[in-house]
Amino acid sequence: MGFILPPSRIVVKEVEMKQFHFIRSVVLVLCLLLVPAGGCAQEAKEFYTPASGQPGKDVVWVPTPQSLVDAMLDMAKVTPSDYVIDLGSGDGRLVIGAAKRGATALGIEYNPDMVELARRAAREEMVTKRATFEKADIFESDFSKATVLTLYLLPGLNLRLRPTILDMKPGTRIVSNSFGMADWQPDETRRVSEDGSSGQLTAHLWIVPAKVDGIWQLADGQISFIQSFQNITGTLTTMGENVELTGKLAGDRISFNAGGREYTGTVSGNTISGTHGGGGSWEAAR
Ligand SMILES: C[S@@+](CC[C@H](N)C(=O)[O-])C[C@H]1O[C@@H](n2cnc3c(N)ncnc32)[C@H](O)[C@@H]1O
């Protein structure tokens, strides 16, 4: 059933409608005036767009293809307990990749625009708690706390970093896109293609070896290790008898063969303890 307003309410209603149209027009005019000055200008603001090959302080920016990012993080076996540092982090892809695996990750990058770009990418990927970026020179930065170091630099830069890397905690994993460490041979090399299958993109892995070079005392003799990065040679002397040894270090894990017997052990500062193929245990100190 219809609802008829008395004439006085009809007049009030017309006044309310006019007020409503007036307010709406004012709001529309204000929006048209304000939006181009603020909101629209904000939307139109250009984000920094890097170009592959653009100059950088010591090396140009070229991004690591995503398939190789994944391979590098796989090779380093990145887990949530890792602290990953990418030296020259570019648009942040390795740092963000590591953070997505639950690790804490830091990118050190000299170009401030790239740092901002990487921070924005971390926000978009919602990993800002674990992925951070610092505007700094890698050659003036302390990265000694990293458990995993990622690099895409140049052979000469890797070589400049090598002494610092070799002083990092034994077991630290270093992964490099393309470039080597001169005569420090990688512990593993992997080749993938852009789609992740076997191909031409190359990543190398090194595990920082414990330092064992020198003479170690045994209960019934001594061991003399000659160390070249992760490789060891030397002599085992027991009961006045010398046997040659050859072996490897993987972080603080040592393994060698002496006179046909296999020895394994763990290096902890100035002691090594482990077992040998004869079914017994051995201990060395220096
Ligand atoms: C080849 S790009 C690698 C970027 C990234 N790590 C990746 O794999 O996608 C090298 C990066 O190192 C940066 N860079 C060059 N010299 C640097 C220095 N001395 N300190 C910090 N960053 C540097 C460049 O700006 C560039 O972003």
Side-chain angles (χ1 to χ4, degrees):
M1 197 172 148
F3 184 73
I4 301 162
L5 287 172
S8 60
R9 273 300 293 146
I10 291 173
V11 172
V12 171
K13 252 306 199 219
E14 278 174 0
V15 170
E16 281 171 356
M17 287 304 284
K18 277 184 185 154
Q19 282 173 343
F20 168 76
H21 285 302
F22 175 72
I23 291 166
R24 196 179 63 166
S25 306
V26 170
V27 169
L28 273 173
V29 169
L30 279 175
C31 279
L32 287 170
L33 287 172
L34 291 177
V35 164
C40 284
Q42 192 79 29
E43 271 166 35
K45 187 180 153 199
E46 290 275 316
F47 284 125
Y48 173 71
T49 312
S52 183
Q54 72 182 25
K57 183 171 181 293
D58 291 298
V59 56
V60 297
W61 175 67
V62 175
T64 296
Q66 192 56 45
S67 60
L68 199 63
V69 169
D70 297 337
M72 287 166 75
L73 298 174
D74 285 349
M75 288 166 84
K77 298 190 171 73
V78 170
T79 72
S81 51
D82 277 312
Y83 179 36
V84 180
I85 298 185
D86 186 28
L87 296 182
S89 48
D91 64 4
R93 56 186 62 203
L94 273 145
V95 172
I96 290 167
K100 282 178 160 177
R101 294 181 184 215
T104 302
L106 169 71
I108 301 176
E109 167 61 50
Y110 196 78
N111 179 335
D113 291 324
M114 293 304 280
V115 171
E116 273 317 306
L117 185 76
R119 285 182 180 148
R120 198 173 65 244
R123 282 197 293 277
E124 278 163 14
E125 298 288 345
M126 294 189 292
V127 289
T128 50
K129 280 210 177 86
R130 290 191 304 278
T132 56
F133 297 90
E134 209 173 277
K135 193 264 155 207
D137 186 331
I138 55 172
F139 292 103
E140 285 163 20
S141 301
D142 177 8
F143 49 85
S144 59
K145 297 278 183 295
T147 60
V148 173
L149 210 56
T150 56
L151 317 169
Y152 184 17
L153 299 169
L154 284 172
L157 301 183
N158 285 4
L159 203 52
R160 261 174 82 187
L161 292 167
R162 199 175 83 173
T164 315
I165 290 174
L166 283 164
D167 274 342
M168 292 176 83
K169 192 168 179 253
T172 304
R173 288 91 80 206
I174 319 297
V175 267
S176 168
N177 176 347
S178 302
F179 303 115
M181 293 271 181
D183 53 342
W184 183 11
Q185 295 303 313
D187 290 290
E188 186 192 340
T189 294
R190 220 178 262 192
R191 290 191 175 82
V192 296
S193 65
E194 296 267 346
D195 66 9
S197 60
S198 177
Q200 286 316 302
L201 306 169
T202 306
H204 304 291
L205 165 80
W206 295 263
I207 300 168
V208 173
K211 292 184 167 76
V212 297
D213 198 83
I215 310 279
W216 295 72
Q217 300 305 323
L218 298 166
D220 55 353
Q222 68 172 42
I223 307 180
S224 169
F225 288 126
I226 300 163
Q227 180 172 4
S228 172
F229 305 107
Q230 67 274 58
N231 301 310
I232 43 172
T233 53
T235 312
L236 168 68
T237 308
T238 47
M239 292 179 278
E241 197 185 315
N242 293 335
V243 282
E244 299 301 298
L245 67 86
T246 55
K248 289 253 172 219
L249 283 152
D252 62 1
R253 299 283 305 149
I254 191 167
S255 56
F256 60 90
N257 183 296
R261 179 175 277 184
E262 294 295 332
Y263 291 75
T264 57
T266 305
V267 185
S268 175
N270 286 329
T271 58
I272 308 176
S273 51
T275 54
H276 59 71
S281 60
W282 64 284
E283 248 181 56
R286 63 171 174 190

